[in-house]
Amino acid sequence: METAEFIRILDREGQLLASAAEQAGPDAKVPTCAQWQVRDLLRHTGTVHRWARAFVAEELTEFRPMDDEPALDGEELLAWFRTGHRLLVETLDSAAPDLRCWQFLPAPSPLAFWARRQAHETAVHRFDAETARGGTREEPGRDFAADGIDELLRGFHARAKSRARSTEPRVLRVRADDTDGAVWTVRLTEEPPATELGEAGDADCEVSGPAARLYLALWNRLPFPRVTGDASVAGLWREKSAVD
């Protein structure tokens, strides 16, 4: 997927998130994030948007922590979220392709990294907002979802901070059965997971299904569509794979 496409998806997902949050109301519980109400979802995602934008807009080459979340609520909070989201989209859309700034996952360029990362961040939390609102929840597009699975497995969980570990070596296969080439082999040990694209050797457990549902399941938003083999390996993922 191209950077411009990620920016378009980010734009759309943020607008849908705000709309769902407005319909749900700030007091609504977020079933997919058990400790949150909608106001917490907006504060978190809006803070992430502003944090991400700063690296691009200010060309920051070193890590800078996020600001504290605001104490805003109600209509003021929604307006704050919408403004931050719009500024992020505009900043990414106008950034130079050769931009140099800090990033925390491998990517072809910093701009490609931030566009991709914020599109997925916002898409998952848009699903959270729609869950809080009730009614129809829109699943992400197939190719975007497959890309998000790859980012999660080969990006996030390749980092030292991943808690998806096992004292006994186990192998988890992830298969998006509606997308060509979308198969991953995840080796779980006491070290961070080692994931390779493709079907490499035997697996103790396989989780499979449409890319969109697998994407949301791997982010612990939905149950796995299908589990074959040793289900305790899928259970280990659900227990230990939360991302900081």
Side-chain angles (χ1 to χ4, degrees), residues 18-193:
S19 177
E22 186 172 27
Q23 293 171 53
D27 296 327
K29 299 289 186 183
V30 182
T32 44
C33 301
Q35 306 304 313
W36 278 3
Q37 295 175 294
V38 164
R39 63 172 56 84
D40 302 304
L41 178 63
L42 288 171
R43 289 168 181 167
H44 167 78
T45 313
T47 299
V48 171
H49 284 170
R50 283 167 167 76
W51 175 73
R53 177 181 178 270
F55 289 105
V56 178
E58 301 174 35
E59 299 186 20
L60 302 174
T61 57
E62 296 183 357
F63 170 78
R64 188 168 80 183
M66 287 189 221
D67 293 335
D68 292 338
E69 295 179 6
L72 302 173
D73 209 345
E75 292 183 5
E76 192 176 10
L77 175 59
L78 267 167
W80 173 85
F81 173 85
R82 285 181 163 124
T83 296
H85 169 252
R86 175 176 52 79
L87 289 172
L88 173 61
V89 171
E90 290 174 354
T91 298
L92 291 169
D93 205 30
S94 62
D98 61 354
L99 164 79
R100 291 291 175 263
C101 68
W102 181 82
Q103 64 193 72
F104 63 87
L105 296 178
S109 70
L111 180 59
F113 163 76
W114 283 111
R116 180 196 200 194
R117 175 81 291 276
Q118 290 308 299
H120 287 297
E121 174 84 14
T122 307
V124 171
H125 287 316
R126 183 269 302 163
F127 187 82
D128 292 332
E130 291 181 346
T131 301
R133 179 199 62 195
T136 302
R137 301 178 300 184
E138 183 176 327
E139 293 183 348
R142 182 188 64 189
D143 292 343
F144 177 72
D147 177 83
I149 294 170
D150 192 72
E151 185 206 40
L152 178 64
L153 296 179
R154 296 205 294 161
F156 271 101
H157 284 290
R159 300 182 300 164
K161 62 169 53 180
S162 174
R163 295 190 296 265
R165 305 185 186 209
S166 174
T167 54
E168 177 186 357
R170 311 294 276 165
V171 179
L172 174 67
R173 185 100 69 220
V174 177
R175 186 188 305 275
D177 55 20
D178 62 346
T179 309
D180 290 342
V183 182
W184 297 263
T185 301
V186 186
R187 301 187 187 281
L188 299 167
T189 66
E190 293 182 330
E191 299 298 318

Side-chain angles (χ1 to χ4, degrees), residues 1 65 84 100 145 153 197 200 206 208-209 235:
M1 294 179 65
R100 291 291 175 263
L153 296 179
L197 186 61
E206 178 169 302
S208 61

